[in-house]
């Protein structure tokens, strides 16, 4: 499947005209750095709050124990942060939202919480396994700009002003019987 690009009608001096191009690897990488900074700040603030509150109520040992507990549980925040944000009205994490991207399904609509959890779990497994990083790097090399986590959850990261279904190209669109054939383009 390939995205249909209408390059002859693009105004290359107007960045808004590129709104039909899916979000690529580097802008998504910057968005993940922003998300990492946001989550780190939240975890540090929560850890300090837990240290001070529990430490003042129950002593230094309990405060330090609570600090370690918060830091141990911090990676699990991602399991809830990404799905909640991607399935919300923001349709993406803070990093994606700040950089003008959103996560959609093939119809161009907000993804479900189930698809968002699938997307997040596959993403976290890919990050945990060194070879799995290739599943993220493939964003830069696929024409749909999808990583393995996007493919597994049937989602796309597109510009925020994207509306309507994701137009995909397939040579046998008429033979598949799925969607609407538009002369080689298929709306799925």
């Amino acid at each position: 499947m390939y995205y249909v690009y209408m390059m002859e009608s693009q105004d290359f001096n107007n960045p808004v005209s590129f709104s039909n191009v899916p979000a690529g690897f580097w802008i998504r990488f910057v968005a993940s750095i922003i998300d990492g900074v946001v989550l780190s700040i939240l975890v540090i603030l929560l850890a300090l709050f837990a240290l001070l509150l529990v430490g003042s109520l129950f002593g230094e040992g309990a405060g330090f124990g609570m600090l370690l507990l918060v830091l141990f549980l911090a990676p699990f925040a991602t399991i809830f942060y990404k799905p909640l944000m991607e399935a919300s009205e923001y349709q993406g994490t803070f990093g994606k939202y700040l950089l003008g991207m959103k996560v959609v399904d093939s119809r161009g609509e907000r993804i479900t919480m189930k698809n968002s959890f699938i997307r997040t779990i596959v993403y976290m497994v890919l990050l945990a396994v060194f070879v799995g990083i290739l599943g993220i790097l493939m964003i830069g090399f696929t024409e749909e700009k999808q990583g393995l986590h996007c493919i597994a959850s049937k989602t796309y990261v597109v510009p925020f002003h994207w509306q309507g279904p994701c137009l995909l190209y397939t040579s046998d669109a008429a033979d598949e019987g799925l969607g609407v054939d538009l002369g080689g383009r298929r709306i799925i």
Side-chain angles (χ1 to χ4, degrees):
M1 293 185 187
Y2 302 94
Y3 268 97
V4 176
Y5 297 106
M6 308 217 185
M7 296 308 250
E8 61 274 353
S9 65
Q10 293 285 351
D11 177 6
F12 292 103
N13 296 319
N14 183 1
V16 177
S17 70
F18 289 97
S19 63
N20 66 332
V21 179
F25 175 78
W26 289 110
I27 192 164
R28 290 170 68 173
F29 180 72
V30 171
S32 69
I33 290 173
I34 292 171
D35 291 330
V37 169
V38 167
L39 282 174
S40 296
I41 290 171
L42 290 175
V43 166
I44 290 169
L45 291 175
L46 182 62
L48 289 175
F49 177 74
L51 172 69
L52 295 174
L53 180 69
V54 174
S56 66
L57 293 175
F58 301 108
E60 273 184 35
F64 185 71
M66 186 57 121
L67 172 74
L68 291 177
L69 181 64
V70 168
L71 293 177
F72 175 74
L73 295 176
F76 297 104
T78 303
I79 293 175
F80 296 106
Y81 166 72
K82 287 177 66 66
L84 290 173
M85 291 299 296
E86 289 174 351
S88 74
E89 64 185 35
Y90 293 106
Q91 292 183 271
T93 59
F94 286 123
K96 284 184 183 75
Y97 185 76
L98 289 174
L99 294 177
M101 296 178 283
K102 66 181 178 179
V103 181
V104 297
D105 62 10
S106 60
R107 295 181 310 257
E109 298 173 356
R110 184 186 326 180
I111 64 173
T112 63
M113 187 66 75
K114 175 186 147 195
N115 282 351
S116 189
F117 267 111
I118 290 170
R119 182 179 160 81
T120 300
I121 297 300
V122 172
Y123 179 78
M124 292 181 75
V125 168
L126 291 174
L127 286 179
V129 181
F130 181 72
V131 177
I133 292 176
L134 295 175
I136 295 172
L137 291 176
M138 69 187 275
I139 294 168
F141 300 101
T142 60
E143 293 194 42
E144 294 90 2
K145 303 297 182 198
Q146 287 182 294
L148 201 55
H149 59 293
C150 300
I151 294 169
S153 62
K154 299 176 184 157
T155 59
Y156 302 86
V157 179
V158 296
F160 190 74
H161 297 289
W162 183 287
Q163 293 185 356
C166 297
L167 285 176
L168 302 176
Y169 174 79
T170 178
S171 60
D172 56 353
D175 297 336
E176 292 180 7
L178 298 173
V180 178
D181 182 21
L182 299 172
R185 291 178 289 164
R186 178 172 58 99
I187 299 176
I188 60 172

